Amino acid sequence: MDANWPIAIILCLLITLSLISLVILKKVELQMYFIDTALITVCLAFCALAYFTAVEAFFIGIVVYVYRLTDSNNIIKFVFLFSGIIIGYFTGNHFYTNTSVLILAIFIIIRLVESIIEISLYTPNTDPITELEDTV
């Protein structure tokens, strides 16, 4: 495997967008989306490390991390998002890798827009003191 710096830099940009989305999701307290986005961010980090260092063992980290920490409902999503990178590695065809990175970019941008919409609609929980005053 050769190092592919352009793909690695694009993945690092996607990691940055994903981290922004994580910060917003943490403020909004959407636990389900937060965990899902955190898993995707870690898998993107494994991919970026693999392409920066040209060590294909990092791809095994994606598979182990996803299948170990993901429930059965989200496995299909991760297979859809990251299978092109794995197939591109085994076949040596950059079409699969580039398509997978494009799909990941679209997914991360949609998740970021979702988080921005959620934070604009977010109303924090009411203060416990004002709840007590309303009941008295």
Side-chain angles (χ1 to χ4, degrees), residues 47-74:
C47 289
L49 281 172
Y51 284 117
F52 269 128
T53 61
V55 176
E56 53 275 334
F58 286 114
F59 289 133
I60 296 171
I62 297 169
V63 175
V64 171
Y65 195 76
V66 167
Y67 285 115
R68 182 80 174 139
L69 295 175
T70 305
D71 58 353
S72 61
N73 296 333
N74 286 335

Side-chain angles (χ1 to χ4, degrees), residues 83-104:
S83 64
I85 292 176
I86 304 296
I87 292 170
Y89 164 70
F90 284 121
T91 61
N93 191 342
H94 294 295
F95 171 76
Y96 296 114
T97 304
N98 295 340
T99 304
S100 182
V101 169
L102 179 65
I103 290 170
L104 280 166

Side-chain angles (χ1 to χ4, degrees), residues 95-134:
F95 171 76
Y96 296 114
T97 304
N98 295 340
T99 304
S100 182
V101 169
L102 179 65
I103 290 170
L104 280 166
I106 291 169
F107 180 81
I108 296 291
I109 290 170
I110 289 172
R111 182 58 56 97
L112 183 61
V113 169
E114 280 180 340
S115 6
I116 290 170
I117 290 171
E118 286 293 331
I119 201 161
S120 66
L121 299 174
Y122 177 67
T123 56
N125 296 337
T126 57
D127 196 23
I129 295 172
T130 58
E131 285 182 7
L132 288 176
E133 291 174 358
D134 290 339

